[in-house]
Amino acid sequence: MRHINSLTNPVIKSLRALHDRKRRRQSGQFLAEGTRIVTEALELGWAPDTLVFLEGREDDPMVKRLIRQAEASGADIIMVSAAVLAKISRKDNPQMVMASFDERWSDAEQAFTADDGVWVVLDRVRDPGNLGTILRTADAVGARGVMLVGECCDGFSVEAVRASMGAMFNIPMAQMTEAEFTARAASYKGEILGTALPASVDYRTPHWQGPMMLLMGNEQAGLTDGLMAAATQLIRMPMLGRSDSLNLAVATGVALYEYLRHQPQ
Ligand code: SAM
């Protein structure tokens, strides 16, 4: 364990840089904040590259346990001042623990060969809060994974990790271009349920059983024509008030719990 109090230390600077997508791409690492989320990661077998914690908190039982586990997995353990922690987190009131991890992308092929369960497929999702919330909900219903199609926001951004409440450590994330997805979808054996406002089929109509994919559209534009054409069925959730659509994460949650309702208990 070492102690760093300099705001200009290169390790501190590179941890802070993990807020930027470009720097995450370069390093292949991302940042998770908070005792709860970092504990979740370690319990799920993710080994941190670096664990940072607030000086004076080393005897806190949860922090102590995290230090012990991170040490055992060979992480760089750094005790820092509140000012350094604020610098890394870019917040005035940072969490007392942060850790960096190597990004893990799953093989997208898994989604097409699964013989049961649901993969959530997100078309150009833009809001990391939506993405994190969807990862959390997908994890809650036992989905097989979440596939990002096209130009999506980064599933490893601090905001997405935070919104997932650590669920992103438990659910496979994969990515594909739209062209790759539609080409592969043509020979997929399961149902591909697309959610779209122009759909006429109520979301409670499909059987929601067997291997399936749930396609969710971009926050502004909805699903592309190509993805709608790839769907075996297009479904919609009734909208009785004045709003013309649900928030993407809410719509995903409604559909995923309908999926869960059809699964054997
Ligand atoms: N203006 C967009 C459109 O025309 O599709 C609205 C997009 S909506 C905010 C984001 C995504 O959530 C949609 O592409 C769809 O996947 C899903 N969604 C939202 N409300 C829905 C509804 N009532 N029925 C089906 N899907 C819905």
Side-chain angles (χ1 to χ4, degrees):
M1 186 193 311
R2 52 193 177 133
H3 196 173
I4 298 181
N5 270 338
S6 157
L7 296 174
T8 54
N9 181 287
V11 177
I12 302 306
K13 282 180 161 173
S14 56
L15 286 170
R16 178 181 161 88
L18 293 179
H19 286 268
D20 301 327
R21 189 172 192 168
K22 203 170 134 206
R23 295 297 294 274
R24 285 196 297 276
R25 279 299 85 82
Q26 285 165 351
S27 66
Q29 293 198 329
F30 67 100
L31 200 58
E33 301 176 325
T35 314
R36 184 176 157 187
I37 292 182
V38 175
T39 300
E40 180 78 356
L42 268 68
E43 277 175 6
L44 289 165
W46 288 63
D49 180 70
T50 305
L51 179 84
V52 176
F53 70 93
L54 180 60
E55 61 192 0
R57 296 304 177 96
E58 54 276 25
D59 290 327
D60 176 295
M62 284 184 83
V63 177
K64 209 172 183 168
R65 203 176 59 180
L66 278 177
I67 294 172
R68 206 175 46 241
Q69 286 176 332
E71 244 164 11
S73 66
D76 187 8
I77 318 277
I78 310 178
M79 181 158 74
V80 297
S81 63
V84 170
L85 212 50
K87 172 145 182 170
I88 299 171
S89 74
R90 303 190 180 186
K91 277 203 262 150
D92 291 339
N93 290 312
Q95 300 272 354
M96 63 174 160
V97 170
M98 285 173 215
S100 64
F101 297 88
D102 287 341
E103 293 185 357
R104 279 189 210 169
W105 287 101
S106 294
D107 177 8
E109 189 57 23
Q110 280 181 25
F112 298 92
T113 50
D115 49 17
D116 208 359
V118 63
W119 267 79
V120 180
V121 179
L122 302 176
D123 170 21
R124 297 164 297 153
V125 58
R126 287 292 151 85
D127 181 332
N130 275 343
L131 175 52
T133 306
I134 291 169
L135 287 163
R136 185 177 178 182
T137 312
D139 177 55
V141 302
R144 290 272 190 262
V146 173
M147 170 94 71
L148 306 183
V149 171
E151 282 296 309
C152 289
C153 61
D154 187 0
F156 293 104
S157 68
V158 174
E159 296 78 13
V161 174
R162 191 185 301 139
S164 85
M165 287 302 292
M168 49 80 56
F169 290 107
N170 195 42
I171 185 146
M173 239 193 311
Q175 55 186 346
M176 275 187 143
T177 64
E178 183 184 334
E180 286 165 345
F181 180 83
T182 50
R184 193 61 189 80
S187 57
Y188 175 59
K189 299 280 185 290
E191 283 278 349
I192 302 181
L193 298 178
T195 56
L197 301 171
S200 52
V201 177
D202 186 281
Y203 76 108
R204 290 160 289 196
T205 307
H207 293 303
W208 292 100
Q209 269 161 6
M212 74 184 80
M213 296 193 187
L214 175 69
L215 302 191
M216 305 300 306
N218 165 269
E219 288 94 336
Q220 271 79 45
L223 286 175
T224 62
D225 290 347
L227 289 173
M228 278 204 252
T232 50
Q233 212 169 158
L234 289 176
I235 54 172
R236 95 187 289 273
M237 290 131 209
M239 300 291 304
L240 305 184
R242 283 187 60 81
S243 312
D244 61 358
S245 67
L246 296 171
N247 159 276
L248 168 62
V250 171
T252 310
V254 170
L256 284 178
Y257 270 87
E258 185 61 13
Y259 155 81
L260 187 59
R261 204 170 68 78
H262 286 80
Q263 305 315 299
Q265 296 303 310

